[in-house]
Amino acid sequence: GENVEQHPSTLSVQEGDSAVIKCTYSDSASNYFPWYKQELGKRPQLIIDIRSNVGEKKDQRIAVTLNKTAKHFSLHITETQPEDSAVYFCAASGRDDKIIFGKGTRLHILP
Amino acid sequence: GAVVSQHPSWVICKSGTSVKIECRSLDFQATTMFWYRQFPKQSLMLMATSNEGSKATYEQGVEKDKFLINHASLTLSTLTVTSAHPEDSSFYICSARAGRSRSPLHFGNGTRLTVT
């Protein structure tokens, strides 16, 4: 089955700087890659997703890139703000339609 | 749109008792729902895939007789933790897709289960 690796587990960046979170997946048949943000005690919320027929997608300060050949995808957050502090999960979905999550990255935005 | 409601949001039960958690898709039909378990500061671990009108598909290592899943309608899936033990204490979250594959999962609010 699919296996998703996510790095780093913890990331601290100065407010206003950029944050990058990287993930790799194992199943070459995976074709859908969502990113979720989870604040303490709350449900995960979708922030952006990308499908395998696209290499990059951007939504305001958030962008995601996908390299199918290397089987890795990344989340980029620019001009970080205090409200960006949360846990971010990457995920991959493939032939069996399940969505498998990475272990998460705890992002701290420093004032 | 695409709201998933989960109840209860928290529950405390004694060892040996059973607890039922409900997951409803409020404004869409979900032929498939997914149940995840999340330990503190850890990731979302897929437990099982709930299929409307048929048996659930469990992930490796998840006891199907302990975690009973019923998906009786296109808008309701239930997870029953049977004969609960303290090690079953966790955060359980259901999710569903409003569309076909390659579409986002929408999550319920989760249920924090504490077994004493």
Side-chain angles (χ1 to χ4, degrees):
Chain A
E2 176 64 275
N3 182 49
V4 178
E5 298 286 339
Q6 182 172 349
H7 300 279
S9 57
T10 306
L11 177 62
S12 296
V13 300
Q14 211 69 40
E15 182 179 348
D17 289 350
S18 296
V20 180
I21 302 170
K22 298 182 179 182
C23 291
T24 60
Y25 60 99
S26 61
D27 189 350
S28 57
S30 288
N31 54 18
Y32 175 64
F33 307 91
W35 286 85
Y36 286 83
K37 175 183 180 181
Q38 187 178 29
E39 297 178 10
L40 190 63
K42 296 188 177 180
R43 76 180 91 188
Q45 298 276 10
L46 179 77
I47 55 172
I48 196 168
D49 57 7
I50 191 168
R51 292 170 178 78
S52 58
N53 57 344
V54 175
E56 184 174 357
K57 184 176 177 180
K58 189 173 182 180
D59 182 4
Q60 299 183 341
R61 297 187 296 110
I62 295 172
V64 59
T65 59
L66 171 65
N67 183 327
K68 284 196 301 181
T69 303
K71 289 190 284 188
H72 63 70
F73 55 115
S74 302
L75 177 73
H76 304 251
I77 306 174
T78 58
E79 301 172 17
T80 52
Q81 300 169 2
E83 53 266 35
D84 294 331
S85 293
V87 179
Y88 291 80
F89 293 99
C90 64
S93 179
R95 68 188 89 203
D96 54 11
D97 223 25
K98 302 175 190 175
I99 292 190
I100 304 300
F101 286 82
K103 290 191 185 306
T105 296
R106 189 169 297 276
L107 176 62
H108 300 276
I109 306 302
L110 305 172
Chain B
V3 176
V4 176
S5 174
Q6 185 174 341
H7 294 280
S9 55
W10 61 270
V11 58
I12 301 172
C13 71
K14 293 185 177 181
S15 288
T17 61
S18 295
V19 173
K20 180 185 283 188
I21 302 170
E22 290 189 350
C23 180
R24 294 181 185 274
S25 56
L26 296 186
D27 50 0
F28 65 99
Q29 293 183 330
T31 55
T32 303
M33 291 185 176
F34 301 91
W35 287 94
Y36 289 86
R37 181 174 182 176
Q38 187 175 35
F39 290 102
K41 297 186 178 182
Q42 293 193 26
S43 187
L44 296 141
M45 301 300 298
L46 180 63
M47 299 176 64
T49 302
S50 172
N51 306 298
E52 187 268 335
S54 64
K55 291 183 179 180
T57 306
Y58 290 82
E59 294 300 299
Q60 192 172 10
V62 178
E63 299 176 59
K64 61 180 181 181
D65 294 329
K66 181 166 190 59
F67 299 100
L68 300 179
I69 291 173
N70 184 276
H71 196 150
S73 76
L74 287 171
T75 59
L76 174 63
S77 175
T78 60
L79 168 68
T80 301
V81 183
T82 63
S83 187
H85 291 284
E87 56 266 31
D88 298 326
S89 298
S90 190
F91 192 55
Y92 294 87
I93 313 180
C94 70
S95 62
R97 277 197 169 102
R100 299 292 298 273
S101 61
R102 303 208 302 170
S103 62
L105 284 182
H106 300 278
F107 285 88
N109 263 333
T111 298
R112 184 159 303 283
L113 170 64
T114 302
V115 184
T116 60

